Amino acid sequence: MIEGSREGHPSAPGTRQPRGRKRRAEILKGARKLFAQRGFRGTSLAMLAEEIGITDAGLLYHFPNKSALLLAVLEETDREQETRMAGDLDTADANYIASWAEFGKVLEDDPVLTALDVLMSAEHLEAGSEFNEYFKGRYETFRKRLVRSFEAGRQAGVFRQDFDPLMEAALMIATLDGLRLQWLLSDGRISMAEVMRYFIGHMQARILA
Amino acid sequence: MIEGSREGHPSAPGTRQPRGRKRRAEILKGARKLFAQRGFRGTSLAMLAEEIGITDAGLLYHFPNKSALLLAVLEETDREQETRMAGDLDTADANYIASWAEFGKVLEDDPVLTALDVLMSAEHLEAGSEFNEYFKGRYETFRKRLVRSFEAGRQAGVFRQDFDPLMEAALMIATLDGLRLQWLLSDGRISMAEVMRYFIGHMQARILA
DNA sequence: ATTATCTATAGATCTATAGATAATGC
DNA sequence: ATTATCTATAGATCTATAGATAATGC
């Protein structure tokens, strides 16, 4: 359904020469920033081009249209988040839980990415809209990985038998997501890092064997 | 800073005759729906006018511009939420906490309003943007009311002495906010009502005396 | 007589394309 | 020779206003 990232066979435009690759990276960085500040719909190609110091037609040489650009931004941030949170998601023991306590801090350290995620998810809530499936899938995947972690920890005897992994996963994700909004709308006075540590502390009390 | 809701002295246009008042209400309802589906920036006056069965110029007789329309929508939803959650916020004892457990259910019962809140908050995250202060203020107010509830319950001896009201308030709001997104992006498979009850159950265990 | 709505349109975007030009790599 | 970028512009919006007309209330 979502097209545009991988072209035919010859490598995508803007990736063949160093100059092009560099410009492409600048475009992605600028897009991430403006989409995070003003949303996908609130950012025009002209605004973005000006931010980068290029014309909008120049920009469209690199990405065939605005949607393809957003897709590329999302693919890039996905890769980053994957490497950042890598091991923390796919196994679980007492140490991993401790690392979950730092997820709030991780988000605070990249405010642009945090705002981007909040805004892009919200702008694509509508069923059937172009990126809706993408965001639904991302939630599903993330939640499933957490659930598997909880189950693994339970089988390893690190966690108790009588808790509901899906419930805990949904709650943990909700906490993290909700904190983003509150952090962004309180000039940072509500600390994601702090509240997340508090939350995970109590989660440990609930589920550790 | 935000203008447009209250006009000069003669009552606002569209409120003087029954026909006008009815149309005005239809506009607000349509705006709520479309803003919730496609965002403020994603909704054009023409789209909205068509939804209602009027022309965009006709619409602008009732609200001088798009911002004034959003402001009116927000004022209306504020009033509704205030009456709905009325007593539940300004005192706290064991019963009130039980009513907090139903906040998830309350949000599930009005999906349009829930999506509207998520989308409008996200679209106005940027410091200095037209409605940013409005959303910041709303969070601040809500959080303060909860903190006061917690403190009142503590002084009444219903709650323990050794918990942090601000932390619990921030966490409770984050949970509710995060659940909205997860609920909306899971076709309702993650139930706000259910997870919120679970959360409040454990909160009670933490803070009840 | 006043209030509500419409037609028509200005003027400012916005996305995207065509075709020309400049920069790079062989 | 190929890749990257620009100029110019089409065509589709978008918000908002001016001025005309229709509906309502006295």
Side-chain angles (χ1 to χ4, degrees):
Chain A
M1 191 173 265
I2 295 166
E3 286 277 357
S5 61
R6 271 147 254 242
E7 304 299 307
H9 267 160
S11 58
T15 61
R16 280 160 274 204
Q17 292 184 2
R19 178 171 65 131
R21 277 193 296 277
K22 199 178 157 199
R23 207 11 92 80
R24 196 186 150 93
E26 283 169 22
I27 295 170
L28 287 172
K29 191 180 169 196
R32 190 188 294 208
K33 181 182 159 193
L34 291 195
F35 288 166
Q37 276 174 3
R38 332 206 350 136
F40 178 65
R41 289 170 187 138
T43 301
S44 76
L45 295 176
M47 275 172 60
L48 178 53
E50 200 196 346
E51 162 90 16
I52 297 161
I54 197 181
T55 62
D56 52 346
L59 198 158
L60 286 166
Y61 167 73
H62 291 269
F63 302 93
N65 54 51
K66 205 180 167 189
S67 291
L69 174 57
L70 175 54
L71 182 61
V73 168
L74 293 176
E75 283 176 349
E76 193 187 48
T77 57
D78 267 3
R79 278 195 301 276
E80 282 178 26
Q81 284 174 315
E82 182 57 36
T83 46
R84 194 173 321 177
M85 305 204 164
D88 300 353
L89 287 175
D90 295 322
T91 329
D93 59 26
N95 287 335
Y96 281 113
I97 285 214
S99 84
W100 294 350
E102 297 308 312
F103 277 5
K105 172 81 170 99
V106 168
L107 297 188
E108 277 188 15
D109 286 341
D110 196 339
V112 171
L113 185 54
T114 299
L116 181 77
D117 270 352
V118 171
L119 235 169
M120 293 306 106
S121 324
E123 278 191 314
H124 300 95
L125 288 178
E126 202 191 358
S129 68
E130 194 177 5
F131 290 89
N132 180 252
E133 286 300 325
Y134 173 87
F135 287 102
K136 277 165 68 172
R138 240 181 37 165
Y139 266 100
E140 176 89 5
T141 305
F142 187 32
R143 201 164 42 227
K144 274 194 178 151
R145 286 172 79 173
L146 272 187
V147 167
R148 244 174 284 143
S149 276
F150 282 123
E151 283 166 349
R154 189 154 69 174
Q155 283 188 350
V158 189
F159 299 157
R160 311 165 43 131
Q161 297 301 311
D162 64 338
F163 77 97
D164 181 340
L166 179 57
M167 192 71 85
E168 288 292 343
L171 185 57
M172 182 174 144
I173 294 172
T175 305
L176 210 44
D177 282 354
L179 282 175
R180 300 183 305 189
L181 205 55
Q182 217 173 150
W183 179 66
L184 290 165
L185 285 172
S186 69
D187 298 314
R189 282 179 40 242
I190 298 299
S191 156
M192 276 193 283
E194 200 181 331
V195 183
M196 195 63 193
R197 286 184 197 122
Y198 178 80
F199 171 79
I200 295 287
H202 285 288
M203 190 180 85
Q204 286 182 309
R206 283 198 297 275
I207 71 170
L208 275 184
Chain B
M1 188 172 265
I2 295 166
E3 286 277 356
S5 62
R6 270 147 254 241
E7 305 298 307
H9 267 159
S11 58
T15 61
R16 279 161 274 204
Q17 292 184 2
R19 177 172 66 133
R21 276 192 296 277
K22 198 177 158 200
R23 208 10 92 79
R24 195 185 151 94
E26 283 169 23
I27 295 171
L28 287 172
K29 191 179 168 195
R32 190 188 295 208
K33 181 182 159 195
L34 291 195
F35 288 166
Q37 276 174 5
R38 333 207 349 136
F40 178 65
R41 289 170 188 138
T43 302
S44 75
L45 295 176
M47 278 172 58
L48 178 53
E50 200 195 347
E51 162 90 14
I52 297 161
I54 196 180
T55 63
D56 52 347
L59 200 159
L60 286 166
Y61 168 74
H62 291 270
F63 301 94
N65 54 51
K66 208 180 164 188
S67 290
L69 174 57
L70 174 55
L71 183 60
V73 168
L74 294 175
E75 283 176 349
E76 193 187 48
T77 58
D78 267 3
R79 277 195 301 276
E80 282 178 27
Q81 284 174 316
E82 181 58 37
T83 45
R84 194 173 320 177
M85 304 203 164
D88 300 354
L89 287 176
D90 295 322
T91 331
D93 59 28
N95 287 333
Y96 281 113
I97 285 215
S99 83
W100 294 351
E102 296 309 312
F103 277 3
K105 172 82 170 96
V106 168
L107 296 188
E108 277 188 15
D109 287 340
D110 196 339
V112 172
L113 185 54
T114 298
L116 181 77
D117 269 353
V118 171
L119 236 169
M120 294 303 106
S121 322
E123 279 190 315
H124 300 94
L125 288 178
E126 203 191 357
S129 68
E130 193 177 5
F131 289 90
N132 180 253
E133 286 298 326
Y134 173 87
F135 287 102
K136 278 166 68 173
R138 241 181 36 163
Y139 266 99
E140 175 90 4
T141 305
F142 187 32
R143 202 163 41 228
K144 274 195 178 152
R145 285 171 81 173
L146 272 186
V147 167
R148 242 174 284 143
S149 277
F150 282 123
E151 282 166 349
R154 191 154 69 175
Q155 283 187 350
V158 188
F159 298 157
R160 311 165 44 131
Q161 296 302 311
D162 63 338
F163 77 98
D164 181 339
L166 178 57
M167 192 71 86
E168 289 292 343
L171 185 57
M172 179 173 146
I173 294 172
T175 304
L176 209 45
D177 282 354
L179 282 174
R180 298 183 306 189
L181 206 54
Q182 215 173 154
W183 179 65
L184 290 165
L185 285 171
S186 69
D187 298 315
R189 283 180 38 244
I190 299 298
S191 156
M192 276 192 283
E194 202 182 329
V195 183
M196 194 63 193
R197 286 184 196 119
Y198 178 81
F199 170 80
I200 295 287
H202 285 287
M203 190 179 86
Q204 286 181 309
R206 283 199 297 277
I207 71 171
L208 276 183

